[in-house]
mmCIF file of all heavy atoms in Angstrom:
data_model
loop_
_atom_site.group_PDB
_atom_site.id
_atom_site.type_symbol
_atom_site.label_atom_id
_atom_site.label_comp_id
_atom_site.label_asym_id
_atom_site.label_seq_id
_atom_site.Cartn_x
_atom_site.Cartn_y
_atom_site.Cartn_z
ATOM 1 N N ILE A 16 -44.205 -27.043 -42.070
ATOM 2 C CA ILE A 16 -43.720 -27.260 -43.436
ATOM 3 C C ILE A 16 -42.258 -26.873 -43.526
ATOM 4 O O ILE A 16 -41.881 -25.742 -43.053
ATOM 5 C CB ILE A 16 -44.556 -26.425 -44.423
ATOM 6 C CG1 ILE A 16 -46.015 -26.901 -44.449
ATOM 7 C CG2 ILE A 16 -43.979 -26.561 -45.848
ATOM 8 C CD1 ILE A 16 -46.919 -26.064 -45.251
ATOM 9 N N ALA A 17 -41.417 -27.702 -44.077
ATOM 10 C CA ALA A 17 -40.009 -27.460 -44.167
ATOM 11 C C ALA A 17 -39.736 -26.642 -45.445
ATOM 12 O O ALA A 17 -39.675 -27.178 -46.545
ATOM 13 C CB ALA A 17 -39.203 -28.765 -44.220
ATOM 14 N N ALA A 18 -39.679 -25.267 -45.250
ATOM 15 C CA ALA A 18 -39.346 -24.408 -46.382
ATOM 16 C C ALA A 18 -37.914 -24.607 -46.879
ATOM 17 O O ALA A 18 -37.615 -24.604 -48.066
ATOM 18 C CB ALA A 18 -39.593 -22.931 -46.011
ATOM 19 N N VAL A 19 -37.009 -24.772 -45.902
ATOM 20 C CA VAL A 19 -35.593 -25.096 -46.199
ATOM 21 C C VAL A 19 -35.230 -26.236 -45.247
ATOM 22 O O VAL A 19 -35.388 -26.170 -44.044
ATOM 23 C CB VAL A 19 -34.648 -23.847 -45.922
ATOM 24 C CG1 VAL A 19 -33.200 -24.325 -46.049
ATOM 25 C CG2 VAL A 19 -35.023 -22.765 -46.919
ATOM 26 N N ASP A 20 -34.774 -27.323 -45.856
ATOM 27 C CA ASP A 20 -34.645 -28.595 -45.111
ATOM 28 C C ASP A 20 -33.218 -29.167 -45.211
ATOM 29 O O ASP A 20 -32.985 -29.996 -46.140
ATOM 30 C CB ASP A 20 -35.673 -29.580 -45.590
ATOM 31 C CG ASP A 20 -35.799 -30.823 -44.714
ATOM 32 O OD1 ASP A 20 -35.201 -30.824 -43.636
ATOM 33 O OD2 ASP A 20 -36.491 -31.731 -45.114
ATOM 34 N N GLY A 21 -32.289 -28.658 -44.452
ATOM 35 C CA GLY A 21 -30.933 -29.209 -44.453
ATOM 36 C C GLY A 21 -30.115 -28.868 -45.661
ATOM 37 O O GLY A 21 -29.392 -29.719 -46.193
ATOM 38 N N VAL A 22 -30.155 -27.579 -46.050
ATOM 39 C CA VAL A 22 -29.455 -27.164 -47.303
ATOM 40 C C VAL A 22 -27.996 -26.840 -47.002
ATOM 41 O O VAL A 22 -27.666 -26.095 -46.108
ATOM 42 C CB VAL A 22 -30.129 -25.949 -47.926
ATOM 43 C CG1 VAL A 22 -29.274 -25.366 -49.034
ATOM 44 C CG2 VAL A 22 -31.514 -26.354 -48.465
ATOM 45 N N ASP A 23 -27.067 -27.434 -47.822
ATOM 46 C CA ASP A 23 -25.690 -27.065 -47.840
ATOM 47 C C ASP A 23 -25.413 -26.279 -49.127
ATOM 48 O O ASP A 23 -25.917 -26.594 -50.192
ATOM 49 C CB ASP A 23 -24.812 -28.321 -47.850
ATOM 50 C CG ASP A 23 -24.879 -29.121 -46.586
ATOM 51 O OD1 ASP A 23 -25.303 -28.579 -45.577
ATOM 52 O OD2 ASP A 23 -24.522 -30.303 -46.613
ATOM 53 N N PHE A 24 -24.537 -25.269 -48.963
ATOM 54 C CA PHE A 24 -24.325 -24.347 -50.122
ATOM 55 C C PHE A 24 -22.945 -23.727 -50.014
ATOM 56 O O PHE A 24 -22.505 -23.386 -48.919
ATOM 57 C CB PHE A 24 -25.412 -23.273 -50.184
ATOM 58 C CG PHE A 24 -25.189 -22.218 -51.230
ATOM 59 C CD1 PHE A 24 -25.528 -22.482 -52.565
ATOM 60 C CD2 PHE A 24 -24.598 -21.017 -50.941
ATOM 61 C CE1 PHE A 24 -25.315 -21.544 -53.561
ATOM 62 C CE2 PHE A 24 -24.385 -20.072 -51.917
ATOM 63 C CZ PHE A 24 -24.720 -20.313 -53.234
ATOM 64 N N ASP A 25 -22.247 -23.556 -51.164
ATOM 65 C CA ASP A 25 -20.968 -22.862 -51.197
ATOM 66 C C ASP A 25 -20.964 -21.892 -52.376
ATOM 67 O O ASP A 25 -21.259 -22.257 -53.477
ATOM 68 C CB ASP A 25 -19.821 -23.862 -51.383
ATOM 69 C CG ASP A 25 -19.636 -24.723 -50.140
ATOM 70 O OD1 ASP A 25 -18.908 -24.312 -49.223
ATOM 71 O OD2 ASP A 25 -20.156 -25.875 -50.082
ATOM 72 N N LEU A 26 -20.533 -20.683 -52.083
ATOM 73 C CA LEU A 26 -20.260 -19.658 -53.160
ATOM 74 C C LEU A 26 -18.762 -19.341 -53.081
ATOM 75 O O LEU A 26 -18.258 -18.890 -52.051
ATOM 76 C CB LEU A 26 -21.059 -18.412 -52.873
ATOM 77 C CG LEU A 26 -20.849 -17.236 -53.878
ATOM 78 C CD1 LEU A 26 -21.382 -17.609 -55.250
ATOM 79 C CD2 LEU A 26 -21.531 -15.946 -53.366
ATOM 80 N N GLU A 27 -18.109 -19.605 -54.168
ATOM 81 C CA GLU A 27 -16.647 -19.375 -54.240
ATOM 82 C C GLU A 27 -16.348 -17.948 -54.631
ATOM 83 O O GLU A 27 -17.150 -17.204 -55.203
ATOM 84 C CB GLU A 27 -15.994 -20.323 -55.288
ATOM 85 C CG GLU A 27 -16.320 -21.777 -55.003
ATOM 86 C CD GLU A 27 -15.898 -22.342 -53.707
ATOM 87 O OE1 GLU A 27 -14.879 -21.777 -53.130
ATOM 88 O OE2 GLU A 27 -16.496 -23.271 -53.195
ATOM 89 N N LYS A 28 -15.138 -17.481 -54.263
ATOM 90 C CA LYS A 28 -14.713 -16.134 -54.576
ATOM 91 C C LYS A 28 -14.642 -15.943 -56.072
ATOM 92 O O LYS A 28 -14.046 -16.773 -56.826
ATOM 93 C CB LYS A 28 -13.345 -15.876 -53.965
ATOM 94 C CG LYS A 28 -12.936 -14.422 -54.060
ATOM 95 C CD LYS A 28 -11.627 -14.191 -53.302
ATOM 96 C CE LYS A 28 -11.190 -12.695 -53.370
ATOM 97 N NZ LYS A 28 -9.992 -12.379 -52.589
ATOM 98 N N GLY A 29 -15.253 -14.853 -56.597
ATOM 99 C CA GLY A 29 -15.234 -14.588 -57.983
ATOM 100 C C GLY A 29 -16.248 -15.336 -58.851
ATOM 101 O O GLY A 29 -16.207 -15.264 -60.046
ATOM 102 N N GLU A 30 -17.118 -16.086 -58.198
ATOM 103 C CA GLU A 30 -18.053 -16.961 -58.923
ATOM 104 C C GLU A 30 -19.402 -16.283 -59.132
ATOM 105 O O GLU A 30 -19.854 -15.452 -58.323
ATOM 106 C CB GLU A 30 -18.289 -18.217 -58.073
ATOM 107 C CG GLU A 30 -19.276 -19.220 -58.686
ATOM 108 C CD GLU A 30 -19.500 -20.441 -57.801
ATOM 109 O OE1 GLU A 30 -19.430 -20.329 -56.540
ATOM 110 O OE2 GLU A 30 -19.760 -21.539 -58.348
ATOM 111 N N ILE A 31 -20.034 -16.661 -60.212
ATOM 112 C CA ILE A 31 -21.453 -16.374 -60.418
ATOM 113 C C ILE A 31 -22.225 -17.674 -60.278
ATOM 114 O O ILE A 31 -21.973 -18.620 -61.059
ATOM 115 C CB ILE A 31 -21.742 -15.728 -61.818
ATOM 116 C CG1 ILE A 31 -20.999 -14.419 -61.975
ATOM 117 C CG2 ILE A 31 -23.271 -15.477 -61.976
ATOM 118 C CD1 ILE A 31 -21.142 -13.818 -63.344
ATOM 119 N N HIS A 32 -23.059 -17.807 -59.280
ATOM 120 C CA HIS A 32 -23.705 -19.033 -58.899
ATOM 121 C C HIS A 32 -25.194 -18.858 -59.064
ATOM 122 O O HIS A 32 -25.797 -17.965 -58.474
ATOM 123 C CB HIS A 32 -23.371 -19.411 -57.494
ATOM 124 C CG HIS A 32 -23.724 -20.854 -57.124
ATOM 125 N ND1 HIS A 32 -22.738 -21.715 -56.651
ATOM 126 C CD2 HIS A 32 -24.843 -21.524 -57.125
ATOM 127 C CE1 HIS A 32 -23.341 -22.845 -56.377
ATOM 128 N NE2 HIS A 32 -24.621 -22.795 -56.732
ATOM 129 N N GLY A 33 -25.857 -19.651 -59.863
ATOM 130 C CA GLY A 33 -27.291 -19.594 -60.068
ATOM 131 C C GLY A 33 -28.045 -20.427 -59.092
ATOM 132 O O GLY A 33 -27.585 -21.510 -58.721
ATOM 133 N N LEU A 34 -29.159 -19.914 -58.660
ATOM 134 C CA LEU A 34 -30.066 -20.646 -57.782
ATOM 135 C C LEU A 34 -31.443 -20.699 -58.454
ATOM 136 O O LEU A 34 -32.098 -19.667 -58.729
ATOM 137 C CB LEU A 34 -30.199 -19.949 -56.400
ATOM 138 C CG LEU A 34 -31.161 -20.586 -55.379
ATOM 139 C CD1 LEU A 34 -30.575 -21.947 -54.952
ATOM 140 C CD2 LEU A 34 -31.356 -19.707 -54.170
ATOM 141 N N ILE A 35 -31.890 -21.929 -58.744
ATOM 142 C CA ILE A 35 -33.145 -22.077 -59.512
ATOM 143 C C ILE A 35 -34.006 -23.168 -58.777
ATOM 144 O O ILE A 35 -33.555 -23.831 -57.837
ATOM 145 C CB ILE A 35 -32.922 -22.499 -60.940
ATOM 146 C CG1 ILE A 35 -32.255 -23.868 -61.042
ATOM 147 C CG2 ILE A 35 -32.092 -21.438 -61.718
ATOM 148 C CD1 ILE A 35 -32.176 -24.418 -62.497
ATOM 149 N N GLY A 36 -35.221 -23.229 -59.203
ATOM 150 C CA GLY A 36 -36.167 -24.200 -58.680
ATOM 151 C C GLY A 36 -37.610 -23.798 -58.912
ATOM 152 O O GLY A 36 -37.866 -22.606 -59.156
ATOM 153 N N PRO A 37 -38.543 -24.711 -58.924
ATOM 154 C CA PRO A 37 -39.955 -24.375 -59.189
ATOM 155 C C PRO A 37 -40.488 -23.452 -58.037
ATOM 156 O O PRO A 37 -39.888 -23.348 -56.971
ATOM 157 C CB PRO A 37 -40.630 -25.735 -59.212
ATOM 158 C CG PRO A 37 -39.737 -26.653 -58.413
ATOM 159 C CD PRO A 37 -38.347 -26.164 -58.656
ATOM 160 N N ASN A 38 -41.580 -22.833 -58.292
ATOM 161 C CA ASN A 38 -42.302 -22.004 -57.265
ATOM 162 C C ASN A 38 -42.533 -22.934 -56.048
ATOM 163 O O ASN A 38 -42.977 -24.027 -56.134
ATOM 164 C CB ASN A 38 -43.551 -21.464 -57.764
ATOM 165 C CG ASN A 38 -43.367 -20.374 -58.852
ATOM 166 O OD1 ASN A 38 -42.345 -19.730 -58.836
ATOM 167 N ND2 ASN A 38 -44.357 -20.264 -59.732
ATOM 168 N N GLY A 39 -42.215 -22.349 -54.854
ATOM 169 C CA GLY A 39 -42.400 -23.087 -53.649
ATOM 170 C C GLY A 39 -41.239 -24.010 -53.257
ATOM 171 O O GLY A 39 -41.301 -24.748 -52.324
ATOM 172 N N ALA A 40 -40.141 -23.875 -54.015
ATOM 173 C CA ALA A 40 -38.979 -24.740 -53.762
ATOM 174 C C ALA A 40 -38.197 -24.314 -52.538
ATOM 175 O O ALA A 40 -37.415 -25.140 -52.058
ATOM 176 C CB ALA A 40 -38.046 -24.739 -55.007
ATOM 177 N N GLY A 41 -38.393 -23.123 -52.037
ATOM 178 C CA GLY A 41 -37.653 -22.642 -50.869
ATOM 179 C C GLY A 41 -36.587 -21.649 -51.193
ATOM 180 O O GLY A 41 -35.819 -21.246 -50.308
ATOM 181 N N LYS A 42 -36.536 -21.145 -52.416
ATOM 182 C CA LYS A 42 -35.501 -20.184 -52.834
ATOM 183 C C LYS A 42 -35.563 -18.900 -51.999
ATOM 184 O O LYS A 42 -34.534 -18.410 -51.514
ATOM 185 C CB LYS A 42 -35.619 -19.860 -54.339
ATOM 186 C CG LYS A 42 -35.514 -21.030 -55.244
ATOM 187 C CD LYS A 42 -35.506 -20.603 -56.710
ATOM 188 C CE LYS A 42 -36.724 -19.835 -57.126
ATOM 189 N NZ LYS A 42 -37.933 -20.636 -57.049
ATOM 190 N N THR A 43 -36.729 -18.313 -51.893
ATOM 191 C CA THR A 43 -36.867 -17.039 -51.135
ATOM 192 C C THR A 43 -36.522 -17.199 -49.685
ATOM 193 O O THR A 43 -35.811 -16.371 -49.129
ATOM 194 C CB THR A 43 -38.331 -16.486 -51.258
ATOM 195 O OG1 THR A 43 -38.614 -16.235 -52.675
ATOM 196 C CG2 THR A 43 -38.458 -15.198 -50.463
ATOM 197 N N THR A 44 -36.944 -18.277 -49.075
ATOM 198 C CA THR A 44 -36.567 -18.538 -47.681
ATOM 199 C C THR A 44 -35.110 -18.723 -47.525
ATOM 200 O O THR A 44 -34.456 -18.187 -46.606
ATOM 201 C CB THR A 44 -37.363 -19.738 -47.133
ATOM 202 O OG1 THR A 44 -38.761 -19.533 -47.259
ATOM 203 C CG2 THR A 44 -37.003 -20.026 -45.646
ATOM 204 N N PHE A 45 -34.495 -19.490 -48.411
ATOM 205 C CA PHE A 45 -33.064 -19.758 -48.353
ATOM 206 C C PHE A 45 -32.260 -18.412 -48.444
ATOM 207 O O PHE A 45 -31.339 -18.179 -47.664
ATOM 208 C CB PHE A 45 -32.627 -20.724 -49.426
ATOM 209 C CG PHE A 45 -31.156 -20.923 -49.527
ATOM 210 C CD1 PHE A 45 -30.497 -21.594 -48.492
ATOM 211 C CD2 PHE A 45 -30.488 -20.531 -50.620
ATOM 212 C CE1 PHE A 45 -29.106 -21.775 -48.577
ATOM 213 C CE2 PHE A 45 -29.086 -20.708 -50.748
ATOM 214 C CZ PHE A 45 -28.436 -21.356 -49.695
ATOM 215 N N VAL A 46 -32.650 -17.670 -49.411
ATOM 216 C CA VAL A 46 -31.946 -16.322 -49.508
ATOM 217 C C VAL A 46 -32.143 -15.410 -48.335
ATOM 218 O O VAL A 46 -31.242 -14.717 -47.941
ATOM 219 C CB VAL A 46 -32.362 -15.625 -50.891
ATOM 220 C CG1 VAL A 46 -31.887 -14.230 -50.902
ATOM 221 C CG2 VAL A 46 -31.904 -16.474 -52.039
ATOM 222 N N SER A 47 -33.360 -15.506 -47.776
ATOM 223 C CA SER A 47 -33.606 -14.713 -46.572
ATOM 224 C C SER A 47 -32.748 -15.206 -45.380
ATOM 225 O O SER A 47 -32.322 -14.366 -44.561
ATOM 226 C CB SER A 47 -35.106 -14.819 -46.233
ATOM 227 O OG SER A 47 -35.913 -14.222 -47.200
ATOM 228 N N LEU A 48 -32.476 -16.475 -45.338
ATOM 229 C CA LEU A 48 -31.594 -16.989 -44.321
ATOM 230 C C LEU A 48 -30.166 -16.484 -44.527
ATOM 231 O O LEU A 48 -29.519 -16.073 -43.603
ATOM 232 C CB LEU A 48 -31.564 -18.521 -44.293
ATOM 233 C CG LEU A 48 -32.917 -19.218 -43.917
ATOM 234 C CD1 LEU A 48 -32.847 -20.735 -44.109
ATOM 235 C CD2 LEU A 48 -33.261 -18.888 -42.443
ATOM 236 N N LEU A 49 -29.709 -16.537 -45.780
ATOM 237 C CA LEU A 49 -28.328 -16.070 -46.092
ATOM 238 C C LEU A 49 -28.183 -14.584 -45.750
ATOM 239 O O LEU A 49 -27.113 -14.166 -45.237
ATOM 240 C CB LEU A 49 -28.017 -16.328 -47.549
ATOM 241 C CG LEU A 49 -27.859 -17.758 -48.039
ATOM 242 C CD1 LEU A 49 -27.534 -17.744 -49.535
ATOM 243 C CD2 LEU A 49 -26.794 -18.486 -47.279
ATOM 244 N N SER A 50 -29.215 -13.782 -46.118
ATOM 245 C CA SER A 50 -29.066 -12.347 -45.993
ATOM 246 C C SER A 50 -29.360 -11.851 -44.604
ATOM 247 O O SER A 50 -29.135 -10.683 -44.239
ATOM 248 C CB SER A 50 -30.004 -11.664 -46.957
ATOM 249 O OG SER A 50 -31.400 -11.964 -46.714
ATOM 250 N N GLY A 51 -29.963 -12.703 -43.711
ATOM 251 C CA GLY A 51 -30.263 -12.307 -42.325
ATOM 252 C C GLY A 51 -31.640 -11.741 -42.120
ATOM 253 O O GLY A 51 -31.926 -11.245 -41.071
ATOM 254 N N ARG A 52 -32.480 -11.817 -43.148
ATOM 255 C CA ARG A 52 -33.840 -11.341 -42.972
ATOM 256 C C ARG A 52 -34.650 -12.219 -42.017
ATOM 257 O O ARG A 52 -35.539 -11.725 -41.290
ATOM 258 C CB ARG A 52 -34.586 -11.245 -44.318
ATOM 259 C CG ARG A 52 -33.917 -10.229 -45.249
ATOM 260 C CD ARG A 52 -34.672 -10.284 -46.611
ATOM 261 N NE ARG A 52 -36.012 -9.730 -46.446
ATOM 262 C CZ ARG A 52 -37.019 -9.987 -47.309
ATOM 263 N NH1 ARG A 52 -36.753 -10.814 -48.386
ATOM 264 N NH2 ARG A 52 -38.215 -9.524 -47.125
ATOM 265 N N ILE A 53 -34.347 -13.490 -42.019
ATOM 266 C CA ILE A 53 -34.919 -14.452 -41.038
ATOM 267 C C ILE A 53 -33.788 -15.335 -40.479
ATOM 268 O O ILE A 53 -32.771 -15.482 -41.156
ATOM 269 C CB ILE A 53 -36.089 -15.290 -41.611
ATOM 270 C CG1 ILE A 53 -35.586 -16.168 -42.802
ATOM 271 C CG2 ILE A 53 -37.264 -14.422 -42.084
ATOM 272 C CD1 ILE A 53 -36.589 -17.079 -43.376
ATOM 273 N N ALA A 54 -34.031 -15.924 -39.335
ATOM 274 C CA ALA A 54 -33.002 -16.730 -38.693
ATOM 275 C C ALA A 54 -33.258 -18.228 -38.938
ATOM 276 O O ALA A 54 -34.457 -18.654 -38.966
ATOM 277 C CB ALA A 54 -33.024 -16.477 -37.193
ATOM 278 N N PRO A 55 -32.229 -19.008 -39.151
ATOM 279 C CA PRO A 55 -32.398 -20.428 -39.291
ATOM 280 C C PRO A 55 -32.738 -21.073 -37.931
ATOM 281 O O PRO A 55 -32.333 -20.638 -36.902
ATOM 282 C CB PRO A 55 -31.075 -20.953 -39.823
ATOM 283 C CG PRO A 55 -30.092 -19.916 -39.327
ATOM 284 C CD PRO A 55 -30.797 -18.622 -39.263
ATOM 285 N N GLN A 56 -33.462 -22.183 -38.024
ATOM 286 C CA GLN A 56 -33.736 -22.931 -36.810
ATOM 287 C C GLN A 56 -32.632 -23.939 -36.533
ATOM 288 O O GLN A 56 -32.384 -24.372 -35.409
ATOM 289 C CB GLN A 56 -35.111 -23.671 -36.967
ATOM 290 C CG GLN A 56 -36.228 -22.656 -36.846
ATOM 291 C CD GLN A 56 -37.506 -23.190 -37.496
ATOM 292 O OE1 GLN A 56 -37.506 -23.890 -38.461
ATOM 293 N NE2 GLN A 56 -38.628 -22.829 -36.868
ATOM 294 N N GLU A 57 -31.953 -24.350 -37.603
ATOM 295 C CA GLU A 57 -30.748 -25.150 -37.512
ATOM 296 C C GLU A 57 -29.758 -24.741 -38.588
ATOM 297 O O GLU A 57 -30.150 -24.181 -39.619
ATOM 298 C CB GLU A 57 -31.097 -26.662 -37.678
ATOM 299 C CG GLU A 57 -32.025 -27.255 -36.662
ATOM 300 C CD GLU A 57 -31.400 -27.434 -35.325
ATOM 301 O OE1 GLU A 57 -30.170 -27.418 -35.246
ATOM 302 O OE2 GLU A 57 -32.152 -27.588 -34.331
ATOM 303 N N GLY A 58 -28.467 -25.063 -38.348
ATOM 304 C CA GLY A 58 -27.516 -24.760 -39.387
ATOM 305 C C GLY A 58 -26.597 -23.643 -39.105
ATOM 306 O O GLY A 58 -26.754 -22.921 -38.078
ATOM 307 N N ARG A 59 -25.673 -23.406 -40.003
ATOM 308 C CA ARG A 59 -24.575 -22.414 -39.798
ATOM 309 C C ARG A 59 -24.216 -21.716 -41.098
ATOM 310 O O ARG A 59 -24.217 -22.359 -42.179
ATOM 311 C CB ARG A 59 -23.347 -23.145 -39.233
ATOM 312 C CG ARG A 59 -22.175 -22.223 -38.811
ATOM 313 C CD ARG A 59 -21.175 -23.063 -38.034
ATOM 314 N NE ARG A 59 -20.038 -22.264 -37.641
ATOM 315 C CZ ARG A 59 -18.831 -22.253 -38.243
ATOM 316 N NH1 ARG A 59 -18.656 -23.104 -39.269
ATOM 317 N NH2 ARG A 59 -17.836 -21.515 -37.785
ATOM 318 N N ILE A 60 -24.003 -20.443 -41.014
ATOM 319 C CA ILE A 60 -23.575 -19.637 -42.238
ATOM 320 C C ILE A 60 -22.267 -18.928 -41.878
ATOM 321 O O ILE A 60 -22.175 -18.306 -40.829
ATOM 322 C CB ILE A 60 -24.667 -18.602 -42.576
ATOM 323 C CG1 ILE A 60 -26.034 -19.267 -42.800
ATOM 324 C CG2 ILE A 60 -24.243 -17.849 -43.797
ATOM 325 C CD1 ILE A 60 -27.145 -18.260 -42.862
ATOM 326 N N THR A 61 -21.271 -19.014 -42.809
ATOM 327 C CA THR A 61 -20.044 -18.312 -42.642
ATOM 328 C C THR A 61 -19.736 -17.462 -43.859
ATOM 329 O O THR A 61 -20.097 -17.822 -44.995
ATOM 330 C CB THR A 61 -18.894 -19.283 -42.347
ATOM 331 O OG1 THR A 61 -18.695 -20.185 -43.514
ATOM 332 C CG2 THR A 61 -19.124 -20.125 -41.127
#
Side-chain angles (χ1 to χ4, degrees):
I16 298 174
V19 173
D20 190 10
V22 170
D23 293 342
F24 175 80
D25 291 275
L26 177 68
E27 306 300 334
K28 187 173 183 179
E30 179 183 30
I31 300 175
H32 194 124
L34 179 68
I35 65 173
N38 290 332
K42 301 186 299 296
T43 298
T44 301
F45 175 65
V46 170
S47 295
L48 294 173
L49 291 181
S50 63
R52 295 179 67 200
I53 60 176
Q56 290 159 322
E57 298 288 343
R59 185 170 180 257
I60 304 167
T61 61

